[in-house]
Amino acid sequence: MISKATIDKVYDTARVEEVIGDYVQLKRAGSNFKGLSPFSNERSPSFMVSPVKQIWKDFSSGKGGNVVAFLMEHEHFTYPEAIRYLAKRYNIEIEETVETEEEKASADVRESLYLVSEYAKKYFETQLHETEQGKAIGLTYFKERGFTTETIKKFALGYHPDGYSTFSEAAKKAGYNPDFLVGTGLSIARDNGELIDRFRGRVMFPILSMSGRTLGFGGRILTNDKKAAKYLNSPESEIYYKSKVLYGIFYAKQAIAKQDLCYLVEGYTDVIQMHQAGIENVVSSSGTALTSEQIRLINRLTKNITVLFDGDAAGLRAALRGIDLILEEGMNVRVCSFPDGEDPDSFARKNSKEDIEAYFAANAKDFIRFKASLLMAEAKNDPIKKADLIRDIVQSISKIPDRIQREIYVQECAQIMEISEQVLVSTLAQMLQKDLKESFKKQQNQNQPLEVVKAENTSTSDKINVLETLEKKIIELLLLYGTSEATFEDYVLETTENGEVVEKQIFTQAKVYERIFLSLQQDEIIFSNETFRGIYELLIAYLTTHEKFSAEQFMSDLPVEYAPLVADILMEEEKIQLHNWESRDVFVKSKQVGIAQYVNETILSLRWYLVDRIIADLMTQISPDPTADNSEILSNTIDYQQLIKSFSDKLGRVLSRF
């Protein structure tokens, strides 16, 4: 296990804005940073990072927490994995404590698959650089492709020996479970239980996640065997989903964010050769059809994509596939073709970085304009073909979410296609209307059953919401003002000289957390929401042992399931919220009235609600039998009603029921 000292050092050193900046393009917004959510599909940034508090909050998905929570959410790390990743990133030496057998056995399947994949990557590298077969076949191939030793090591390129089960046997000998070898797709299990190697006789390209974890592999065969696929990818597994991975994203993410531009190519060697030439903001879809998930991965880093494709017809068709998906995400797409016979790999090999950048600047064209010119050149004087191509280009324009941008494209395409702008506008309107109807119908079908359920449970859900809202406000007070001192207004009963009992107003000085704790203790109030109850207990324990509240320190020991709610509260002052408390009978005034009054009114509101529930319960106990004695119940009800009246007087409101 990782020692507490190491964990504390990681928390002290890691900067949430630096780590998240590797995954999301962050822009300064006052004292904070904002960016697009990495957890949902959005076009307006609602993801916020606070360097001061060292926390993040995604208002679109509700997720939030500290730097470790982000890695656990985004990369699906376990807690130890996240700590190890941060320790490696910040060059912190990890101190280990003795791990028990039970702890070893508790390692989950995902972690085991990661470990196997990491072992395989190192094994293939060793085979490439240290065996005669690897050097003669694999290393020679990479050198012939023009890759330098530095490039080969940077991308962890390797070689899988040609033996029938060489890798599988080596992995088993090293202690790796055969089930996990099969689970990663590196080995194939035969009916008799024997393992055979999937990638035998191929050069290997490790496929890494954005954080640098080995997810899978691509392997290229070097023989002329026509029955075997030229390139072979790992099958999908618990850690590898082809549709959600881009080859080279780990090496390109910082350059993409810095230059606000991503070049998209088709193959592994295209990425590697461009990197070697100094163009590092480049990724590949690994030979598979481009997906929405892959586009969103880029969208977190930049809005601008330039698709690079071969100069031949096949390369052009490959480039055109999936571009409508990019447009749907509201991204800016440009395309750049290479001279006949060239591809990104060969072109980068023959030219310097400066020449490549100059070529891109001169030849990259806006996709819509490029497609319009290309299709019209193909249609020539064929009216039927021209009509089909016009519909094709308008279909692409309809994918663009920005209305102004659509209108500009319509105007330019009308000129290129030599057709009335009104015709294009009419066609576009029909397409948009059709899409809108389909979207509305789909939403209606999804919402209808939800509305029926809500209508049947209005009373119950409203009562639960009121109580949970008040409990959440108490957590908020503790987090934001727990160690603050304030002067609280109180009332005590006194007997006057003539024997009359009256309430006297007094003022006491106390810390907010002390006031809340004593008030809840006095009324024996226990939180109904388990999450709030858990956070409350941790907060009271923390605040009673620390002079000042540190969000970073408190969240470092916070269970993962509590982190989103705590981050939400800590970040709430960084966003505009319209609570509309009155509509839900929650008697809490704005914080501008002062901390002490805010605390008192929140506690009074909670008391009012709980007493009101007691009254409602008492009313159900009244017997309808005219001979029954209901006097005690009615007496208690009147007493509670008087108590509510006192709450009402102190809150300065008219009497109301929840």
Side-chain angles (χ1 to χ4, degrees):
M1 291 177 63
I2 304 172
S3 69
K4 183 67 165 60
T6 299
I7 294 173
D8 291 342
K9 192 171 182 180
V10 165
Y11 275 112
D12 289 341
T13 308
R15 301 294 302 170
V16 67
E17 68 273 21
E18 292 175 351
V19 175
I20 293 179
D22 289 344
Y23 303 86
V24 180
Q25 184 181 22
L26 297 174
K27 294 184 179 180
R28 176 70 68 174
S31 62
N32 301 313
F33 291 94
K34 293 187 77 173
L36 291 173
S37 167
F39 303 106
S40 64
N41 179 22
E42 66 176 10
R43 296 190 176 93
S44 298
S46 67
F47 184 87
M48 188 171 288
V49 177
S50 171
V52 176
K53 298 174 181 175
Q54 281 299 294
I55 58 175
W56 59 276
K57 178 64 185 178
D58 177 21
F59 294 110
S60 66
S61 68
K63 300 178 187 294
N66 57 19
V67 64
V68 171
F70 177 82
L71 292 171
M72 293 177 72
E73 286 284 358
H74 189 274
E75 292 300 304
H76 303 289
F77 285 171
T78 61
Y79 184 85
E81 288 172 356
I83 295 295
R84 290 181 189 280
Y85 171 82
L86 291 170
K88 182 178 180 181
R89 190 187 195 282
Y90 287 96
N91 298 314
I92 297 171
E93 185 177 351
I94 296 178
E95 296 177 358
E96 299 275 2
T97 58
V98 178
E99 193 173 29
T100 66
E101 290 300 319
E102 291 78 12
E103 289 166 339
K104 290 179 182 178
S106 68
D108 61 14
V109 172
R110 288 176 58 85
E111 178 61 18
S112 298
L113 295 177
Y114 280 126
L115 292 174
V116 168
S117 298
E118 188 62 27
Y119 166 79
K121 184 181 75 171
K122 293 177 180 178
Y123 174 85
F124 299 143
E125 283 189 274
T126 301
Q127 292 294 314
L128 180 73
H129 295 286
E130 298 180 15
T131 67
E132 291 302 319
Q133 186 184 131
K135 288 187 283 187
I137 301 175
L139 200 56
T140 298
Y141 168 77
F142 288 133
K143 293 289 187 181
E144 288 176 350
R145 295 301 300 250
F147 298 154
T148 64
T149 301
E150 291 75 17
T151 297
I152 293 170
K153 289 183 177 179
K154 174 183 177 179
F155 284 88
L157 304 181
Y159 177 73
H160 192 305
D162 199 21
Y164 192 70
S165 58
T166 309
F167 165 75
S168 299
E169 292 302 320
K172 286 194 293 183
K173 190 175 181 180
Y176 290 94
N177 190 322
D179 291 341
F180 298 130
L181 297 176
V182 175
T184 58
L186 289 161
S187 302
I188 301 171
R190 304 186 71 179
D191 293 339
N192 61 2
E194 182 184 7
L195 297 185
I196 59 174
D197 297 339
R198 181 183 296 274
F199 292 100
R200 54 189 182 276
R202 294 174 182 266
V203 287
M204 302 296 289
F205 299 85
I207 301 170
L208 309 183
S209 70
M210 194 177 273
S211 65
R213 304 207 87 184
T214 307
L215 304 176
F217 296 88
R220 187 193 192 282
I221 198 167
L222 301 180
T223 64
N224 294 322
D225 186 355
K226 294 182 179 180
K227 294 182 180 179
K230 183 178 179 181
Y231 278 96
L232 186 64
N233 276 5
S234 294
E236 295 209 337
S237 68
E238 286 288 321
I239 61 174
Y240 178 54
Y241 300 93
K242 297 177 185 178
S243 63
K244 298 181 180 180
V245 177
L246 286 165
Y247 181 73
I249 191 71
F250 173 69
Y251 306 102
K253 60 189 178 185
Q254 291 183 345
I256 292 172
K258 184 177 180 180
Q259 298 179 40
D260 197 18
L261 172 65
C262 177
Y263 292 112
L264 183 64
V265 296
E266 194 174 3
Y268 302 120
T269 59
D270 294 330
V271 170
I272 297 171
Q273 202 66 254
M274 293 287 284
H275 269 262
Q276 185 168 284
I279 311 296
E280 296 187 344
N281 53 324
V282 56
V283 296
S284 163
S285 59
S286 304
T288 61
L290 197 63
T291 67
S292 297
E293 289 91 346
Q294 291 170 331
I295 297 166
R296 289 169 196 158
L297 204 60
I298 298 172
N299 198 8
R300 297 174 198 168
L301 303 171
T302 181
K303 284 282 186 183
N304 305 302
I305 295 182
T306 297
V307 182
L308 308 179
F309 60 89
D310 303 353
D312 57 15
L316 176 59
R317 285 193 297 274
L320 293 179
R321 285 196 304 266
I323 289 187
D324 281 356
L325 290 175
I326 303 176
L327 295 172
E328 284 180 354
E329 295 299 321
M331 301 182 72
N332 305 313
V333 191
R334 298 175 71 82
V335 294
C336 183
S337 62
F338 292 95
D340 289 342
E342 298 279 13
D343 57 25
D345 181 346
S346 62
F347 190 82
R349 202 183 319 172
K350 298 174 184 176
N351 294 276
S352 66
K353 177 185 178 183
E354 292 73 21
D355 290 340
I356 296 171
E357 289 176 337
Y359 182 85
F360 290 163
N363 293 276
K365 300 177 182 178
D366 180 270
F367 169 69
I368 295 293
R369 298 186 187 97
F370 173 82
K371 187 174 182 179
S373 300
L374 179 71
L375 296 181
M376 290 311 296
E378 289 183 2
K380 294 183 180 178
N381 297 320
D382 187 334
I384 297 176
K385 196 171 185 179
K386 183 176 180 180
D388 290 338
L389 296 179
I390 289 172
R391 277 189 284 271
D392 189 345
I393 191 69
V394 173
Q395 183 68 44
S396 291
I397 295 175
S398 73
K399 302 296 182 184
I400 300 170
D402 186 89
R403 183 176 179 179
I404 296 175
Q405 197 173 359
R406 286 201 307 263
E407 187 171 340
I408 292 172
Y409 281 134
V410 166
Q411 293 171 356
E412 295 195 12
C413 289
Q415 294 178 357
I416 296 171
M417 298 173 174
E418 298 177 347
I419 190 172
S420 165
E421 185 178 322
Q422 186 57 42
V423 172
L424 293 182
V425 171
S426 177
T427 305
L428 178 60
Q430 291 174 8
M431 290 182 178
L432 291 173
Q433 190 173 14
K434 181 182 177 183
D435 291 343
L436 187 62
K437 284 182 179 179
E438 291 177 355
S439 176
F440 179 76
K441 185 183 291 185
K442 183 178 180 182
Q443 186 177 15
Q444 196 175 36
N445 290 337
Q446 290 175 341
N447 289 343
Q448 188 172 356
L450 293 177
E451 291 174 354
V452 172
V453 172
K454 183 177 179 182
E456 290 174 350
N457 295 284
T458 301
S459 176
T460 304
S461 63
D462 281 354
K463 286 188 178 296
I464 293 171
N465 287 340
V466 171
L467 184 56
E468 289 194 351
T469 298
L470 290 166
E471 290 178 351
K472 182 181 177 183
K473 296 306 293 182
I474 290 174
I475 299 297
E476 176 185 309
L477 286 165
L478 289 170
L479 284 168
L480 299 178
Y481 313 109
T483 56
S484 300
E485 286 207 2
T487 302
F488 294 95
E489 179 184 45
D490 278 314
Y491 293 87
V492 295
L493 296 177
E494 278 194 357
T495 305
T496 63
E497 291 180 357
N498 58 8
E500 184 182 359
V501 179
V502 296
E503 273 191 338
K504 180 182 178 182
Q505 185 184 45
I506 63 170
F507 296 93
T508 56
Q509 190 80 10
K511 289 187 175 181
V512 168
Y513 83 86
E514 295 172 337
R515 177 72 172 192
I516 291 174
F517 177 74
L518 290 174
S519 296
L520 298 190
Q521 283 282 97
Q522 177 185 338
D523 294 331
E524 298 182 352
I525 294 174
I526 299 175
F527 282 71
S528 63
N529 182 293
E530 289 186 13
T531 299
F532 296 156
R533 184 162 64 248
I535 295 173
Y536 173 78
E537 291 171 355
L538 291 172
L539 267 171
I540 293 299
Y542 180 92
L543 293 169
T544 53
T545 55
H546 293 78
E547 190 68 26
K548 290 186 177 181
F549 179 76
S550 166
E552 183 178 358
Q553 187 180 41
F554 177 69
M555 292 195 71
S556 68
D557 294 323
L558 196 66
V560 177
E561 61 269 23
Y562 297 159
L565 176 63
V566 172
D568 184 26
I569 293 171
L570 290 172
M571 295 288 276
E572 86 161 358
E573 292 183 324
E574 316 294 345
K575 68 173 182 174
I576 298 174
Q577 289 183 313
L578 298 175
H579 285 299
N580 192 19
W581 299 112
E582 308 295 337
S583 67
R584 294 185 291 180
D585 292 321
V586 181
F587 305 119
V588 179
K589 289 184 180 178
S590 167
K591 281 176 279 188
Q592 277 71 21
V593 300
I595 296 174
Q597 189 173 349
Y598 190 45
V599 170
N600 277 345
E601 292 188 348
T602 302
I603 293 172
L604 278 172
S605 295
L606 179 59
R607 285 172 173 168
W608 185 334
Y609 175 76
L610 294 174
V611 170
D612 192 75
R613 289 181 65 177
I614 293 173
I615 293 173
D617 184 58
L618 285 171
M619 297 299 287
T620 62
Q621 297 176 32
I622 295 177
S623 173
D625 185 351
T627 62
D629 183 7
N630 293 315
S631 58
E632 185 178 353
I633 296 175
L634 291 172
S635 175
N636 288 335
T637 301
I638 292 171
D639 289 342
Y640 282 121
Q641 288 284 12
Q642 289 298 317
L643 189 57
I644 282 184
K645 186 178 184 305
S646 72
F647 295 157
S648 177
D649 292 339
K650 291 170 184 175
L651 286 168
R653 299 178 182 275
V654 296
L655 196 66
S656 177
R657 283 182 60 84
F658 286 87

